[in-house]
Amino acid sequence: MNIRAQRVAEQMRKEITDILLREVSDPRTKNATITSVDVTGDLQQATAYYTVLGDDAEVKAETQAGLDKASGFIRREIGSRIRLRKTPELSFEYDSSVAYGSHIDSLIRDLNKDE
């Protein structure tokens, strides 16, 4: 990812977080935390990664549905806040890296307990 795409991705992460907190009224999206945004080099596609509190699959599915439904509104808001020639198409994916990191931490803790 080039420097411009990185800057756009970081700005989009900040704006999406702000939009979710202040302007989206869907209660399904209130559990979401945007962890990162990946933008393609041509700035046409953006993928926002999110996490939710807890490990409940039902909450993850509801949050995904809420974010998918609000993606058009969020994209339009981003277009009005960030000066870009074309606002990237926005999609949301669950970020499993936090859960994976937590799993690795618990494995390391279990190893240290045995010693």
Side-chain angles (χ1 to χ4, degrees):
M1 189 176 351
N2 61 32
I3 292 174
R4 177 167 166 74
Q6 288 176 353
R7 289 190 348 218
V8 169
E10 181 58 26
Q11 188 64 34
M12 285 185 69
R13 188 191 64 76
K14 291 178 185 174
E15 296 298 340
I16 291 170
T17 300
D18 185 57
I19 292 166
L20 286 175
L21 286 175
R22 297 174 194 257
E23 299 186 28
V24 175
S25 60
D26 191 342
R28 296 177 295 181
T29 62
K30 297 303 177 192
N31 293 328
T33 302
I34 303 299
T35 56
S36 66
V37 174
D38 281 344
V39 178
T40 58
D42 59 359
L43 304 178
Q44 299 294 310
Q45 302 283 327
T47 304
Y49 294 95
Y50 69 94
T51 62
V52 293
L53 290 176
D55 214 14
D56 190 6
E58 184 178 331
V59 172
K60 290 177 191 174
E62 287 179 1
T63 303
Q64 181 70 47
L67 290 172
D68 287 343
K69 185 170 182 179
S71 66
F73 171 75
I74 293 170
R75 180 175 180 234
R76 187 176 66 234
E77 285 295 313
I78 288 173
S80 67
R81 293 179 181 203
I82 300 175
R83 292 181 64 189
L84 293 172
R85 183 174 301 205
K86 182 179 178 192
T87 306
E89 292 288 330
L90 184 61
S91 62
F92 290 93
E93 288 187 22
Y94 179 73
D95 186 359
S96 61
S97 65
V98 175
Y100 183 73
S102 176
H103 175 69
I104 295 297
D105 279 347
S106 69
L107 289 175
I108 291 172
R109 248 183 274 125
D110 290 344
L111 283 175
N112 289 336
K113 281 182 182 177
D114 293 338
E115 291 178 5

